[in-house]
Amino acid sequence: MGVRQRKIAVHDLQVGMFVSDLDRPWHQTPFPIQGFHIRSQDDIRSVMSHCKWVVIDVAEARDRLDAVNPSGTVFGKRSNRKYGDNREVIQLPPLQIKDPVRYENSSTLKKELKLSGTVLADAETALSRVVVSVHREETPDLREVARVTRKMVSSVIRNPNALLWLSRTREHDDFTYRHAMNTAVWALICGRHLGLNEGLLNHLGLGCLLSQVGKTELPLELLQKEGKLDADEFARYRGYVERGVAMLDGTGVSRAVVSVVQGHRERHNGSGFPEGVRGDRIPLLAKIAGLAEFFETVIAPRDNSEPLTPAKAVNLLYDMRNIEFQGDLIEKFIQAVGIYPTGSLVQLNDGQRGIVVSHSADRRLWPQVMVMTNQYQEPLKSAKIIDLASFNEGKGPAETLSISECLPHGTEGLNPEHFDVTGTESRWNLSRLVGS
């Protein structure tokens, strides 16, 4: 079915319409993504405060009314159960962070990659020792996990792109470890953007790393079909949260960390588990962890479900605002990770392909990209960094270089470890920097 687009005045907007273009550049507005679904009168008032007319996509609007998640991801497959069936929109007052910290990057990507090259490997080792202790029915010693969490937090504070780059480009066979570590990285980047102090970031990171520990008592065959469970299997599966909380008893871990483990599967509209609490009854750190965990699940599912590209996952999140997750938290998360998050494989409008290195909040559609192929998808001898925002400065629409699409993870010929990189402070190679 062809796309039908129509230009309308903003006062003619209705709930359910999909806004595909504005009468001004997207980066001059507060909307975190290009193209979004009108969910409420508040959305209409927000558009009216910035625009006089918009372009709506009629076909997209109709499709998105039918289901929050048309791609059939983990969330969508549970929509017919008791949990996940509630699409009620819940509005809460805006998030308020007490004494927010304003962080500035104090390390370049190259320098931070070298500093943090072993952090994720250390996290894997620490988590594996926790699992061994659990299997032996011993109280796990969490001091090593806490130490590596502090290293992760310090790295994200210095430069949030480096650890995210490592987590997105690092291969790992064990899903549970990778899922916990990547969730922690997404959550820490969001927490940094919110201005959480270093102590809270440590609680958040440690809680995310330990959030999956209760799954160690579940059979592998159950975990391997995580997104395709029947009612009985799901009832058994959802008990992993309470088992994880019980495992932490006696370890000396803080209540704030336990609350992250306990609340990371609760949802804004009460459709989560284990208790089905909603809205402001979910602690802030648990809300962040839950959002980060869901995002990691849809871009890297355990089962054979087709993963979403990060850009599509960002759009999915925006459709879920004030339903599964608090709306302004989703917006802050998107601002933190970018519309094209670091590590996203992309194709530019001239055919060149590469990977996103970092992004700017002021130029959300124009991140820095490490280009690894020419316009014919032939590999370059050396990759080059292109800052799209700087490149496009002063150029007309016909000359603008932009991202045309996100590519699936693992696209052939786009492994950044195989390239020397030019165009930044100096020539460097990822595999040599991090000792791969």
Side-chain angles (χ1 to χ4, degrees), residues 259-272:
S259 73
V260 173
V261 177
Q262 189 169 32
H264 76 280
R265 292 306 294 262
E266 301 291 358
R267 293 296 180 256
H268 183 67
N269 60 359
S271 62

Side-chain angles (χ1 to χ4, degrees), residues 11-315:
H11 56 73
D12 290 328
L13 277 172
Q14 298 177 19
V15 173
M17 290 181 171
F18 185 81
V19 177
S20 60
D21 206 357
L22 310 174
D23 62 1
R24 64 185 58 216
W26 285 89
H27 68 261
Q28 294 178 4
T29 73
F31 309 121
I33 64 171
Q34 181 170 359
F36 58 88
H37 192 199
I38 296 292
R39 306 298 302 240
S40 66
Q41 292 298 321
D42 285 340
D43 288 348
I44 295 175
R45 286 190 287 270
S46 181
V47 175
M48 290 178 68
S49 68
H50 294 89
C51 306
K52 294 182 179 179
W53 59 261
V54 297
V55 175
I56 63 168
D57 185 330
V58 178
E60 186 78 5
R62 182 171 61 252
D63 291 341
R64 291 192 176 210
L65 278 174
D66 294 336
V68 170
N69 187 6
S71 61
T73 59
V74 173
F75 169 75
K77 291 174 183 176
R78 291 179 186 157
S79 61
N80 61 344
R81 300 204 183 106
K82 176 181 178 182
Y83 296 94
D85 192 35
N86 182 358
R87 296 191 61 214
E88 178 186 1
V89 175
I90 300 174
Q91 297 281 355
L92 287 181
L95 289 170
Q96 295 291 331
I97 306 298
K98 184 179 180 181
D99 300 324
V101 180
R102 181 177 177 83
Y103 295 103
E104 300 287 348
N105 287 4
S106 61
S107 178
T108 64
L109 177 65
K110 177 184 175 182
K111 180 179 179 181
E112 193 56 40
L113 285 172
K114 191 171 184 65
L115 288 173
S116 302
T118 62
V119 170
L120 294 181
D122 291 345
E124 173 193 335
T125 300
L127 286 175
S128 65
R129 289 174 179 170
V130 170
V131 171
V132 169
S133 295
V134 168
H135 283 315
R136 291 175 177 172
E137 298 184 352
E138 300 170 351
T139 300
D141 184 348
L142 300 182
R143 287 176 296 182
E144 189 175 352
V145 185
R147 279 196 296 269
V148 78
T149 300
R150 290 193 291 271
K151 291 181 181 179
M152 293 175 68
V153 169
S154 295
S155 178
V156 168
I157 286 176
R158 290 190 298 263
N159 187 321
N161 292 302
L163 206 60
L164 180 54
W165 173 281
L166 291 171
S167 71
R168 298 281 291 133
T169 58
R170 183 172 182 267
E171 298 295 330
H172 196 290
D173 293 334
D174 192 290
F175 177 89
T176 300
Y177 294 147
R178 184 183 73 238
H179 187 76
M181 289 186 290
N182 291 359
T183 294
V185 174
W186 291 120
L188 289 175
I189 289 172
C190 180
R192 179 190 193 270
H193 182 73
L194 288 170
L196 300 182
N197 63 45
E198 191 167 352
L200 290 174
L201 290 176
N202 280 313
H203 292 321
L204 175 61
L206 183 55
C208 289
L209 288 177
L210 298 174
S211 64
Q212 309 296 302
V213 70
K215 290 181 179 178
T216 59
E217 292 189 351
L218 292 175
L220 183 59
E221 58 269 20
L222 186 69
L223 294 175
Q224 287 176 334
K225 54 186 296 191
E226 199 166 335
K228 304 173 183 178
L229 304 175
D230 61 31
D232 291 338
E233 290 169 332
F234 184 64
R236 183 180 183 188
Y237 168 85
R238 61 192 291 269
Y240 87 83
V241 173
E242 292 172 314
R243 283 193 293 274
V245 171
M247 290 174 184
L248 297 179
D249 186 37
T251 62
V253 73
S254 73
R255 178 59 198 164
V257 172
V258 174
S259 73
V260 173
V261 177
Q262 189 169 32
H264 76 280
R265 292 306 294 262
E266 301 291 358
R267 293 296 180 256
H268 183 67
N269 60 359
S271 62
F273 59 85
E275 297 181 359
V277 298
R278 54 191 271 167
D280 57 6
R281 291 191 59 199
I282 306 172
L284 175 60
L285 298 187
K287 289 183 181 184
I288 298 170
L291 180 54
E293 198 264 350
F294 176 82
F295 188 76
E296 176 63 20
T297 296
V298 296
I299 65 173
R302 179 192 287 270
D303 57 26
N304 294 324
S305 301
E306 182 178 352
L308 297 186
T309 64
K312 288 183 179 178
V314 163
N315 277 274

Side-chain angles (χ1 to χ4, degrees), residues 348-350 365-366 388-389 391-403:
L348 304 182
N349 58 346
D350 66 352
L365 301 178
W366 292 344
L388 296 181
F391 181 89
N392 292 326
E393 195 70 38
K395 289 184 170 63
E399 304 171 296
T400 297
L401 192 60
S402 61
I403 293 174

Side-chain angles (χ1 to χ4, degrees), residues 104 109 124 147 164 199 219 238 323 328 352 356 414 417 421 435:
E104 300 287 348
L109 177 65
E124 173 193 335
R147 279 196 296 269
L164 180 54
R238 61 192 291 269
I323 299 177
D328 56 341
Q352 296 182 92
V356 174
L414 297 183
E417 292 192 8
V421 184

